Amino acid sequence: MTHDSPRPARPSPRDGRQPSAADPGTGRVPVAAPADLLRRLRARASTDPVTHVERVPARPGTTAPWPRWAPEELRAAFARRGVTAPWRHQAEAAELAYAGRHVVVATGTASGKSLAYQLPALATLLADPRATVLYLAPTKALAADQLRAVAALELEDVRPACYDGDTPRAEREWIRRHSRFVLTNPDMLHHGMLPGHAQWSGFLRRLTHVVVDECHTYRGVFGSHVAHVLRRLRRQCAKYGRPTRPDLPAGPTFVLASATSGDPATTAGRLTGLPVTAVTEDTSPRGGVTFALWEPPLLPAAEDQVVDLAPVRRSALRETADLLADTVAEGVRTLAFVRSRKGAEVVAASARRGLDEAVPGLGERVAAYRAGYLREERRELERALLRGDLLGLASTNALELGVDLVGLDAVLICGWPGTRASLWQQAGRAGRSGGEALAVLVARDDPLDTYLVHHPEALFGRPVEATVLDPANPYVLAPQLACAAAEAPLTPADLELFGEGAKEAVESLVEAGALRQRPTGWYWRHRERPQVDLRGSDGAPVCVVEASTGRLLGTVDGGSSHFLVHPGAVYLHQGVSYVVDSLDLADGCALVHAEEPDWSTHARDVISLSVASVRSYADAGPVGLFLGEVDVTSQVVSYQRRRIASGEVIDTRPLDLPTRELRTVAVWFTVSPESLALAGVQPADIPGALHAAEHAAIGLLPLMATCDRWDIGGLSTAVHPDTEAPTVFVYDGHPGGAGFAERAYRTAGAWLRATRDAIAECGCDTGCPSCVQSPKCGNGNNPLSKPDAIRVLDVVLANLPPAEGTSLPALPQQGDRGGAVPAGDVSAAGDRASGDRATGDVPAAGDVRAGG
C-alpha cells in the first residue's frame, strides 16, 4: 500500500468545471507527470481507491553493429525511419534467422521485435529477387500496421501486400502473382491460401521465411489449431520445394515474435513442430511506468437495503469510464482496455456523456473500438487515434497487440486481462515513444481481481505464464488432418509431421467415412471441404442487421449469438442501443431496431454433466482429485431484464434455442460427507459450501493457467451420480479441452490454496462478488455459504499434496486420452459451450458480462 497524500481535487468533467486549456500550437493539453496525474485521479475519491503503486524504472538500451550481410540499401531505409543501429537482441535474433535457424524473440512491449524479423527477411528478399516471405498476425489491425511499416521503408521490388478477408477480390490475383512479402492471418492461410495451394505454388516454392507475430496469443484451442495450420504450410512447402542457399536447410525458416512468456522456446516448438532457439534478453530502452492497482469503492447502502445483503462495489466499467473522461479532460491521450465488446461501448458512451456535460463537443474526442465493426470503421478509428483527433479510445483486446500507437500517455485496464503477459502487453501501449507512462488496473468485483489488487506480489516481480496449447487434442487434430487430406492425400510421412495421435485420428476418420485408404495414402472422400473454425467461434458469424433500413451494423460469432443477439437482447453499436427482434440461426442473421431501454439483458441456461472417462487421479484419503473427460449438455432457456440504474430484475422471459453438447476435459475433486461433518459443515449446508468454492475456484484458476474465467466452466453438487459424493467440477469450455484443466490438476495445491485465501481474506461477512458470488451464476448465486466454503477447502488442502505436482500421478502423454478420437464430426472443431449456468458457472462465448 502506498501512502501518497492526496492533493486537492482538480477540475473534473463530473463537477462541471472547465478542463485544462490546450496548447494553441499543438491542440494538446500539457500532460502532467504520471505520478502527479495519478495523485489527481486519486484525489476525487472520498477514500483512496489505490491499493498499490509499482514503479517500473526507465532502462537504457544497448545497441549492436549491423550484421555484415545486411545490405546498405536496407540499412539506409531503416536510418530514414530513425533506426541507426539495432538493439543487441534484435541483432542476435536476426543473425539466427538469417542463418536458417528457427528463432523466437520474446521481449517486452515496444522492444522492436519487428526489426528482428524484418531485417533477415528483407535482406533475403533484396539478395534473392525470387525469394518470398509470409507474415502471420493474429489480427487484421496488426497486419495492416506492419504493412504500413514495411511499405514506409520504400524498398524496391519487395511489393508488400495484405491478403485477408478485407482484400478486394480484384487485388487477390495480383498479390498471388507479384507480392513477395504477403501479410495475412492464420484464418486466411487456413481458409484461403492452403486450400488454393496450387495457385500459390510459385510463392510457396520460393518461401524463405515465415514470420509468426505475437505468437503468445496462440493458446488453448486456437493455438492448437494454428499449430496444425503451420504444419500444413510446412507440408505444402515441402511438396513444391524451393531453391535454397547451400548452407541453409530445406524449407522456410520460422521467426516468431512473442511478448515475454514462460519457456518461449518450448511453446514455439510446439506451435511449429520444429526446434526453436529463444532470444529473451530485452536490450531496448524503456521509459518509466507508474503502475497503479485501483479498487473501486463500495457503494453506500440504500436506506431501505436489507442489512444482511452483501456490499456492492462500484462497477469497474463506470470507474474506468470516469477515469477515461478525467484523463481526456487533462489532455492525456488514453487507451482503455475493456474485456467485452459491450463493455467497450458502455465505457466510451459514458465517458462521452461526462465530457459533454463539462464541455459540449469534447465527448467527440472519445470512441469505442472492437471486433465486429466494419473494415472502414476500424481503419478510420485507427487513423483518428494516430492523428490525435481522438484523445481517448475504449477498446477490447483488439488493440492489445503490436499496433504502433505512438504518443499515448496512459492505459486503463478494466479488469484483469487473464494473464500477466496480456497485462504487460496492454500496459506497454503507453509510453511507446520512450516517455513516462501511467498504467492503471481497475479491479472488477471478482475473486481474482480482488485477490490481485491486494496481493501485488502475484503481479510484479514474477515471471509471466507459459502459453498453454495442446496440438494432440483429438477435436483439433482430426479436423485438421481432414483439411490436410482435402489439400493433398495424406502419407505415412505426414502422420509423423502432425505428431502424436495422428495415426489414431486418421484411423477414426477412415472408420467414420471421411477418408478412404489406398496404397498411396489416405484420400478425402467428400466434394466439400471440411468446415473448421480456428477460433472456436461455433459456426459462421451472425450478421446484425437494422430491420428498417437493411444496414449491416456488425457481426457476432455463432457461439456468441445465443447470448448476444437472442430475441429481446439489447445490442450496442457505437453507443447506440438496439433491441433484437428475431434471430435466424439457419440464415445467420439477427434483425434489430433502434431503442434506448432502461434495462439490460442477461441470458441464462441450464446444463447437465456426466463423467465419460478418468485419465488420472490422486487418492488422498477422504479427498479425491481427478482429471478426465466429461460430457456437458447446455441450453439457453431464458433471459433476465435488469434495470440499468439499480440492477433490479424486472422479469425473466423464456427462450427456445437449440441445445449444445460438449465433450471436454475437466478437473474435479470429491470430499467425503464424513470429513465435511467433522469440519463442521452440516448436510444442509453442503450445496452452498461447494457452490461457493466452485465460484471462487473458477475465478482463481487464471492465476495458474493462460486462460480467463470465460474459458472455463464449472458445476458443483452435493451428490453427483457418477462420483456418489460431494463434487466440484471445473472444465474447459472447448471440445476436447484446451489444457486448462490439466494445468489445474498439476497445480491443484497452489490453485486451491489461493482460492481459500481469497475467500478468507475478503472483508465481507456472508459472501460477495469479490469472493464467492459470480456474475454468470444461473442460480442467482443461491445457495452460497462463504464460511463453509473455507471449511471445504481446508479439508481438501489438508489432504492433498502440499506442493505443485508432489505425489500426483503423472499425466498421460499427449494423445493418450483413454477414448476414441471423435473423427466423425470434423465440423465440430472449435464448438464452444457458453453462458450462465443454472447449475454452475460455465464459459460465456459472448463477452458482454466480462468487466464491471
Side-chain angles (χ1 to χ4, degrees):
M1 179 72 180
T2 57
H3 301 283
D4 310 56
S5 57
R7 293 189 176 185
R10 44 102 187 112
S12 166
R14 290 184 302 285
D15 59 23
R17 286 180 279 170
Q18 190 75 11
S20 305
D23 183 336
T26 64
R28 292 192 60 191
V29 178
V31 178
D36 292 335
L37 175 61
L38 178 61
R39 278 193 281 269
R40 295 184 186 186
L41 295 175
R42 297 166 73 173
R44 70 175 173 83
S46 56
T47 59
D48 191 354
V50 174
T51 62
H52 179 80
V53 176
E54 187 79 8
R55 172 65 184 167
V56 182
R59 177 189 64 209
T62 304
T63 60
W66 288 106
R68 294 189 302 273
W69 43 260
E72 183 57 37
E73 177 185 359
L74 184 56
R75 300 185 196 186
F78 281 123
R80 289 194 299 270
R81 303 292 296 169
V83 180
T84 57
W87 306 118
R88 191 176 65 208
H89 68 273
Q90 294 173 328
E92 181 183 352
E95 289 280 12
L96 290 168
Y98 193 77
R101 293 179 60 183
H102 311 292
V103 60
V104 56
V105 53
T107 53
T109 307
S111 60
K113 291 186 285 287
S114 297
L115 188 140
Y117 54 73
Q118 288 173 0
L119 182 57
L122 293 173
T124 301
L125 294 184
L126 294 176
D128 180 355
R130 292 176 54 80
T132 59
V133 170
L134 181 66
Y135 168 93
L136 298 173
T139 66
K140 294 176 183 177
L142 179 54
D145 184 72
Q146 284 297 303
L147 175 62
R148 287 191 291 266
V150 175
L153 295 173
E154 299 178 341
L155 298 172
E156 187 177 356
D157 204 34
V158 170
R159 301 187 294 273
C162 270
Y163 188 87
D164 57 32
D166 293 336
T167 305
R169 294 202 171 272
E171 296 180 15
R172 296 188 180 190
E173 179 63 24
W174 183 93
I175 294 172
R176 282 193 293 266
R177 290 181 176 273
H178 301 291
S179 177
R180 301 176 60 217
F181 196 120
V182 174
L183 302 98
T184 187
N185 51 63
D187 309 81
M188 196 64 177
L189 180 62
H190 163 65
H191 288 292
M193 297 177 70
L194 290 176
H197 58 84
Q199 296 175 300
W200 288 89
S201 59
F203 182 89
L204 296 173
R205 183 178 296 113
R206 304 189 302 271
L207 187 60
T208 63
H209 290 84
V210 176
V211 177
V212 184
D213 206 355
E214 304 290 0
C215 67
H216 64 281
T217 63
Y218 301 125
R219 63 178 177 85
V221 169
F222 178 41
S224 302
H225 273 295
V226 172
H228 289 299
V229 171
L230 296 181
R231 285 159 175 78
R232 286 161 51 200
L233 173 64
R234 290 173 52 204
R235 178 173 178 249
Q236 292 301 329
C237 290
K239 170 185 174 182
Y240 290 109
R242 71 171 179 86
T244 61
R245 296 188 345 233
D247 58 325
L248 294 183
T253 299
F254 281 79
V255 189
L256 302 97
S258 170
T260 50
S261 64
D263 200 3
T266 299
T267 299
R270 297 185 73 187
L271 192 62
T272 61
L274 296 164
V276 179
T277 302
V279 175
T280 58
E281 184 183 359
D282 191 340
T283 58
S284 65
R286 180 181 64 193
V289 179
T290 298
F291 206 130
L293 304 182
W294 188 290
E295 185 175 40
L298 290 170
L299 293 174
E303 293 182 1
D304 58 348
Q305 180 174 320
V306 179
V307 175
D308 291 339
L309 288 180
V312 177
R313 291 196 178 276
R314 195 166 189 267
S315 161
L317 289 175
R318 293 187 181 183
E319 196 81 351
T320 303
D322 286 350
L323 289 170
L324 180 60
D326 284 347
T327 56
V328 168
E330 290 273 356
V332 176
R333 294 182 63 182
T334 307
L335 182 59
F337 283 105
V338 188
R339 298 295 306 279
S340 68
R341 295 181 178 189
K342 185 175 181 179
E345 298 277 6
V346 168
V347 167
S350 180
R352 283 195 295 262
R353 283 194 299 270
L355 289 165
D356 282 335
E357 289 174 3
V359 181
L362 189 57
E364 296 177 2
R365 307 293 296 278
V366 175
Y369 183 103
R370 61 172 176 81
Y373 284 178
L374 302 181
R375 176 193 183 190
E376 295 75 15
E377 290 179 290
R378 296 196 307 268
R379 297 295 179 264
E380 178 52 35
L381 287 169
E382 292 165 18
R383 288 191 293 267
L385 186 64
L386 291 171
R387 290 193 305 264
D389 296 342
L390 289 175
L391 275 180
L393 200 63
S395 172
T396 60
N397 63 0
L399 285 180
E400 174 184 321
L401 304 179
V403 177
D404 194 7
L405 305 176
V406 176
L408 293 182
D409 306 304
V411 165
L412 308 173
I413 303 170
C414 181
W416 169 245
T419 65
R420 286 184 290 274
S422 288
L423 181 77
W424 289 108
Q425 279 289 105
Q426 292 182 5
R429 294 302 96 192
R432 286 178 67 88
S433 57
E436 294 282 321
L438 173 66
V440 180
L441 172 62
V442 182
R444 292 172 298 165
D445 210 0
D446 170 273
L448 180 54
D449 286 39
T450 302
Y451 179 87
L452 290 173
V453 295
H454 291 284
H455 292 80
E457 69 279 2
L459 292 177
F460 304 109
R462 291 189 60 183
V464 298
E465 309 87 348
T467 303
V468 175
L469 67 150
D470 180 12
N473 181 339
Y475 285 83
V476 172
L477 181 54
Q480 285 292 333
L481 285 168
C483 292
E487 292 157 6
L490 292 169
T491 66
D494 293 329
L495 302 189
E496 184 177 348
L497 171 67
F498 284 95
E500 289 188 61
K503 185 176 185 294
E504 294 79 4
V506 165
E507 290 173 351
S508 62
L509 286 167
V510 171
E511 183 179 350
L515 297 182
R516 174 177 294 150
Q517 185 173 6
R518 293 179 177 174
T520 54
W522 292 271
Y523 288 73
W524 178 245
R525 297 187 59 183
H526 305 293
R527 184 183 301 273
E528 299 81 13
R529 284 187 45 77
Q531 298 299 310
V532 178
D533 186 349
L534 302 186
R535 297 178 186 260
S537 55
D538 190 17
V542 173
C543 298
V544 182
V545 178
E546 189 173 28
S548 60
T549 64
R551 181 167 65 102
L552 176 64
L553 299 177
T555 61
V556 299
D557 65 76
S560 300
S561 62
H562 290 220
F563 299 90
L564 297 182
V565 290
H566 59 75
V570 176
Y571 177 81
L572 282 180
H573 182 80
Q574 279 291 20
V576 179
S577 292
Y578 298 84
V579 174
V580 179
D581 299 316
S582 64
L583 170 63
D584 189 328
L585 292 170
D587 290 340
C589 179
L591 297 178
V592 303
H593 69 272
E595 184 180 337
E596 292 286 344
D598 64 350
W599 37 265
S600 60
T601 53
H602 304 263
R604 305 177 70 181
D605 66 355
V606 295
I607 66 167
S608 61
L609 182 151
S610 61
V611 176
S613 64
V614 175
R615 289 194 205 169
S616 185
Y617 70 93
D619 185 352
V623 174
L625 179 70
F626 299 82
L627 178 76
E629 282 78 21
V630 296
D631 290 317
V632 182
T633 302
S634 66
Q635 182 182 21
V636 175
V637 296
S638 63
Y639 69 97
Q640 288 183 339
R641 297 192 305 160
R642 301 178 190 171
R643 297 283 182 198
I644 293 176
S646 64
E648 172 195 358
V649 176
I650 301 172
D651 58 21
T652 300
R653 300 190 173 190
L655 290 170
D656 183 17
L657 291 170
T659 59
R660 292 176 171 179
E661 296 182 354
L662 173 71
R663 167 68 66 90
T664 187
V665 179
V667 59
W668 64 94
F669 63 82
T670 60
V671 190
S672 71
E674 294 79 11
S675 65
L676 293 179
L678 289 173
V681 182
Q682 300 302 314
D685 296 327
I686 290 177
L690 298 177
H691 195 193
E694 172 221 328
H695 280 184
I698 289 173
L700 270 293
L701 181 54
L703 195 64
M704 306 296 162
T706 50
C707 66
D708 57 42
R709 71 180 302 157
W710 309 103
D711 287 324
I712 49 182
L715 181 142
S716 58
T717 177
V719 180
H720 191 275
D722 292 333
T723 65
E724 299 181 348
T727 310
V728 172
F729 293 89
V730 176
Y731 60 85
D732 295 351
H734 302 271
F740 308 137
E742 291 184 0
R743 180 66 178 165
Y745 180 83
R746 288 191 177 98
T747 63
W751 166 42
L752 296 176
R753 169 61 60 188
T755 301
R756 190 261 181 210
D757 291 347
I759 300 174
E761 293 172 4
C762 184
C764 70
D765 294 325
T766 59
C768 69
S770 295
C771 56
V772 299
Q773 291 184 2
S774 169
K776 303 188 298 176
C777 183
N779 280 358
N781 286 296
N782 183 53
L784 290 176
S785 174
K786 174 183 175 177
D788 288 320
I790 297 173
R791 296 185 182 103
V792 167
L793 291 169
D794 282 340
V795 172
V796 173
L797 291 167
N799 289 278
L800 281 183
E804 175 179 341
T806 303
S807 301
L808 289 181
L811 290 176
Q813 294 296 314
Q814 291 178 8
D816 179 15
R817 296 175 174 268
V821 175
D825 183 12
V826 295
S827 65
D831 187 25
R832 182 177 175 185
S834 53
D836 301 326
R837 310 300 177 175
T839 53
D841 281 349
V842 301
D847 48 10
V848 296
R849 288 169 302 280

